[in-house]
Amino acid sequence: ERRRGKLTISSALGDDADRQRSLASVRRARERERERRFGGGEQREKVSIEVTLPETITLQDLAGRMNERVADVVKFMINQGEMLRGNDIVDADTAELIAEEFGHTVRRVAESDVEIGLEGEADDPALMQPRPPIVTIMGHVDHGKTSLLDALRSTDVVSGEAGGITQHIGAYQVQLKSGQKITFLDTPGHAAFTAMRARGANATDIAILVVAADDSVMPQTIESINHAKAAGVPIIVAVNKIDLHDAEPDKVLTDLLQHDIQVESMGGETQAVKVSAKSRIGLDELTDAISLQAEILELKANPNRDADGVVIESQLDKGRGPVATVLVKRGTLKRGDIVVAGAQWGKVRAITDERGQQLQDAGPSLPVELLGLDGAPDPGEAFVVVETEARAREITDYRLRTKRQVSGKAGAAARASLDQLLSRLKDGTVETSELPVVVKGDVQGSVEAISMSLDKISTEEVRARVIHGAVGGISESDVLLARSSNAPIFAFNVRANKQARDLAEKEGVEIRYYSVIYDLIDDVKSTLSGMLAPEKRETFLGYADILEVFNITKVGKVAGCRVSEGKVLRGCGVRLLRDDVVIHEGKLKTLKRFKDEVSEVSGGMECGMAFERYEDIRVGDKIECFQVEEIARTLA
């Protein structure tokens, strides 16, 4: 009785005498018996299927595509002498051999094939409808671009920008009295925002070149002209500030001739309008010029299709998550659409215009803020609506992998250049000091602009290296990264949370807050200047001839000399010349007149001199005396 096993309630009550085995239990026993007898039962008929193979694939994924057990595929590889597991990756050639061995056919595809057909089909001209023009306002810093846009929008944007300069791309749609709509992109004019301004030109139909009548053509004006020409967009010249007493609008138009901008009054084709944003002069003429140019361009788009366009700016909003400012180029963007933007994707949760109003959809040429992406996409990236989440995930996974591979190669290239730098360091040809920094900004464009500016002010000797640049407030992980790298944190229009502040104080990490990019760059420039090795300037003092050499106990050899030219100072640098050849360079240890130590001996006088750690001196040798001054250097 005891050997029968554990005691159960039914056995204790004596109810198990009439119990029968369940039907499932009997069936399982019969299956096991059949498998034991026939060695696996009836063989299933193999079904040959077409297996789609990318450039690399895991054995597990391959087994799934072939409808085979992973264990069978792994067993096959072991028989081939390859000890692989299910999550190991194999190349396309190996995967093809495996599939063929299992009796399947293969179709090879490249990884990049996932992007085929992403843009959609070309639009039928019959379905095209007129769309508002996209106008970019470009020009030099402080020439009045934002003020001109304010005058057109009758709103105040300038007061919202720190230091009175635009630091992001703003996108706005203006409705004229005639009912016509114009989309404006206001790009920053400061030199640091070259990349952002380039994106502004590439997303546009017409470029308005703002030139101040009192300042004429400046470096960023020329840069803006080049960007507009590279993008192949027509230019309208707006000569601003014509109400100032020192305004010379005609000089501006003449100066523009040097840069291949010939206005209509001088026989060219470029429209030029004289305006004053402050006094609201010439605004109607400017909008008329835009309307005329838009009419010539015949701008059309098909609104009845899936939307695509370009990301103008992106940021991480504390309450709303990743927010992307996008410009719809074709189609209509609707709430609930699945969007891919660069390496990010998501379902559109909300669409808001520049006034903060919620929209159900956004048509061509409309700039809107998009909520619902899983991260902040890079400005300048194209966005496109796709059919399914699976397709979106497939595309973003591929792009992330490509990005990682590129950054890996860039890292290898950096290591290679570092090796070269180290070899140069050994040769003594260069000595580089690095200032690592962590940059956090409110929008991606600002972080990029700061990184580029820091790169520009770096030299061969001193370099500012952005070890981490990202959007959003400063977190504890940023502080820990900065501590491990001994780097300061530069916060541009963002703040640290309380935990990060406390941690920074505890770890001794410096956090600097900025709202104007000039100040940040100036601070880094002054820090890098302090890291520059001082310039050494040598000043010739004089010559002394060795007349006699004395060997003094406990002192060593002392040269009895006469100063033949200039003077000799105690502690100065000396070179020993023998037959006009320098055989030693060092420092003067002793300078004596008779038995007294003196600080200076003038020409024509005799003295005793001894060198530091050098005694091979002979009668007839010449001593050259010099002094080295260290002069602090600054970055240009």
Side-chain angles (χ1 to χ4, degrees):
E1 241 351 86
R2 272 189 286 115
R3 290 199 190 99
R4 282 180 58 197
K6 62 186 177 182
L7 185 70
T8 62
I9 293 170
S10 57
S11 62
L13 294 171
D15 294 343
D16 59 337
D18 302 325
R19 277 191 71 203
Q20 291 182 339
R21 289 174 67 189
S22 70
L23 195 63
S25 172
V26 173
R27 192 177 287 127
R28 280 197 301 271
R30 282 179 184 165
E31 281 291 331
R32 279 198 297 273
E33 181 62 27
R34 189 185 293 118
E35 279 187 24
R36 188 178 62 77
R37 203 172 286 169
F38 298 108
E42 301 92 5
Q43 288 292 318
R44 284 185 298 115
E45 193 180 329
K46 280 267 185 185
V47 179
S48 177
I49 54 175
E50 187 181 58
V51 182
T52 304
L53 293 180
E55 288 160 17
T56 57
I57 189 169
T58 63
L59 289 183
Q60 194 165 354
D61 191 10
L62 178 61
R65 293 185 187 201
M66 296 191 301
N67 285 343
E68 301 285 352
R69 286 168 55 213
V70 181
D72 293 342
V73 178
V74 171
K75 198 182 287 180
F76 171 76
M77 292 307 292
I78 290 169
N79 292 338
Q80 300 301 312
E82 294 282 339
M83 298 297 287
L84 296 175
R85 290 172 307 212
N87 56 358
D88 285 335
I89 295 169
V90 292
D91 59 28
D93 293 334
T94 309
E96 187 173 350
L97 287 169
I98 296 167
E100 285 171 353
E101 280 292 331
F102 278 84
H104 303 294
T105 55
V106 169
R107 183 167 67 90
R108 295 273 284 267
V109 294
E111 271 198 287
S112 54
D113 289 355
V114 296
E115 293 194 341
I116 291 173
L118 195 60
E119 292 295 317
E121 295 174 4
D123 291 313
D124 183 354
L127 301 172
M128 304 285 252
Q129 294 176 21
R131 65 170 176 84
I134 300 163
V135 180
T136 298
I137 297 186
M138 306 172 90
H140 192 71
V141 63
D142 206 25
H143 274 203
K145 299 180 297 300
T146 308
S147 303
L148 183 61
L149 185 58
D150 279 348
L152 291 164
R153 293 173 64 224
S154 303
T155 55
D156 184 23
V157 179
V158 174
S159 62
E161 291 283 359
I165 63 165
T166 306
Q167 315 211 30
H168 311 143
I169 293 185
Y172 316 95
Q173 194 165 69
V174 175
Q175 187 160 356
L176 305 178
K177 290 170 189 168
S178 62
Q180 188 192 357
K181 290 178 178 176
I182 300 172
T183 297
F184 285 102
L185 297 185
D186 177 24
T187 64
H190 183 255
F193 293 87
T194 308
M196 289 168 71
R197 196 163 51 252
R199 286 187 194 119
N202 292 335
T204 193
D205 302 313
I206 301 165
I208 293 184
L209 183 68
V210 178
V211 191
D214 61 333
D215 220 6
S216 196
V217 177
M218 297 298 276
Q220 273 80 53
T221 314
I222 300 161
E223 213 173 83
S224 300
I225 293 168
N226 294 337
H227 284 318
K229 283 182 177 173
V233 293
I235 296 172
I236 297 172
V237 177
V239 183
N240 196 18
K241 305 187 183 182
I242 57 164
D243 54 338
L244 296 177
H245 68 278
D246 56 347
E248 295 180 81
D250 294 329
K251 181 182 180 296
V252 171
L253 302 179
T254 311
D255 288 350
L256 285 170
L257 288 170
Q258 297 173 22
H259 305 286
D260 204 21
I261 302 283
Q262 196 173 1
V263 298
E264 287 175 334
S265 60
M266 295 181 178
E269 292 184 0
T270 305
Q271 295 184 80
V273 185
K274 294 174 185 176
V275 296
S276 168
K278 201 173 181 182
S279 309
R280 305 179 72 81
I281 302 167
L283 299 181
D284 291 340
E285 287 88 334
L286 182 60
T287 52
D288 288 347
I290 294 167
S291 302
L292 179 63
Q293 190 69 60
E295 209 173 299
I296 294 165
L297 292 171
E298 294 184 347
L299 302 168
K300 290 183 177 181
N302 177 12
N304 304 313
R305 55 162 291 158
D306 286 338
D308 60 34
V310 65
V311 177
I312 296 167
E313 193 51 273
S314 65
Q315 64 188 86
L316 281 170
D317 192 292
K318 195 171 183 182
R320 301 184 294 169
V323 179
T325 306
V326 300
L327 185 65
V328 182
K329 288 283 202 74
R330 305 185 297 175
T332 302
L333 182 67
K334 297 181 278 292
R335 280 179 65 176
D337 279 346
I338 296 160
V339 171
V340 172
Q344 266 68 41
W345 75 279
K347 202 169 190 175
V348 178
R349 285 194 288 112
I351 302 171
T352 54
D353 63 11
E354 75 273 10
R355 295 172 191 84
Q357 294 173 337
Q358 292 275 350
L359 305 175
Q360 286 299 316
D361 52 42
S365 299
L366 188 65
V368 288
E369 281 191 337
L370 198 72
L371 270 67
L373 294 175
D374 61 353
D378 292 335
E381 292 276 15
F383 84 86
V384 65
V385 172
V386 294
E387 321 80 51
T388 61
E389 288 188 11
R391 175 113 164 95
R393 219 176 264 116
E394 195 179 11
I395 292 162
T396 50
D397 284 351
Y398 161 67
R399 287 178 178 173
L400 280 168
R401 273 199 307 276
T402 312
K403 218 176 196 179
R404 275 198 293 269
Q405 285 166 3
V406 169
S407 63
K409 284 174 187 168
R415 281 195 292 277
S417 61
L418 191 63
D419 292 340
Q420 292 163 15
L421 194 63
L422 284 169
S423 65
R424 287 160 71 196
L425 276 167
K426 282 177 187 168
D427 299 341
T429 51
V430 69
E431 219 172 278
T432 303
S433 300
E434 257 192 0
L435 172 67
V437 292
V438 173
V439 176
K440 293 302 289 276
D442 51 346
V443 293
Q444 193 70 38
S446 299
V447 175
E448 274 187 29
I450 291 163
S451 301
M452 284 174 65
S453 301
L454 297 187
D455 208 39
K456 276 182 186 168
I457 61 172
S458 299
T459 65
E460 269 198 342
E461 284 182 70
V462 287
R463 193 162 77 92
R465 183 168 65 93
V466 179
I467 54 171
H468 177 60
V471 174
I474 297 164
S475 63
E476 289 168 276
S477 61
D478 296 324
V479 175
L480 291 169
L481 174 66
R483 187 203 64 182
S484 61
S485 310
N486 293 324
I489 298 174
F490 291 160
F492 187 75
N493 285 338
V494 292
R495 290 291 176 269
N497 59 35
K498 189 179 185 307
Q499 294 90 334
R501 277 200 308 273
D502 294 345
L503 185 63
E505 203 172 313
K506 181 183 160 195
E507 301 291 351
V509 173
E510 184 184 15
I511 301 175
R512 292 192 179 190
Y513 299 102
Y514 299 93
S515 55
V516 177
I517 196 168
Y518 305 124
D519 301 340
L520 190 151
I521 292 161
D522 289 346
D523 272 10
V524 175
K525 202 180 265 189
S526 61
T527 308
L528 291 178
S529 296
M531 288 164 67
L532 279 172
E535 188 182 328
K536 291 183 178 178
R537 191 173 292 170
E538 188 179 298
T539 311
F540 170 74
L541 293 175
Y543 282 121
D545 296 320
I546 298 178
L547 306 176
E548 194 65 62
V549 177
F550 305 100
N551 208 342
I552 299 169
T553 317
K554 294 183 182 176
V555 176
K557 287 187 176 179
V558 176
C561 311
R562 181 186 290 121
V563 180
S564 57
E565 189 181 327
K567 62 182 178 182
V568 177
L569 298 176
R570 188 173 62 194
C572 68
V574 286
R575 290 189 189 97
L576 186 65
L577 309 178
R578 191 171 293 158
D579 301 327
D580 292 329
V581 177
V582 177
I583 59 167
H584 171 70
E585 186 173 327
K587 281 188 94 174
L588 197 60
K589 181 172 71 174
T590 309
L591 180 63
K592 288 191 174 184
R593 279 275 297 152
F594 304 108
K595 289 187 178 180
D596 301 322
E597 191 77 31
V598 290
S599 59
E600 183 181 325
V601 177
S602 302
M605 296 171 76
E606 291 185 354
C607 61
M609 295 164 74
F611 295 172
E612 278 187 0
R613 296 189 294 277
Y614 188 79
E615 294 197 347
D616 180 20
I617 47 178
R618 300 176 194 171
V619 176
D621 288 350
K622 204 171 192 178
I623 298 169
E624 181 185 339
C625 301
F626 60 90
Q627 209 167 22
V628 176
E629 286 179 274
E630 289 193 345
I631 298 158
R633 290 159 64 205
T634 55
L635 285 172

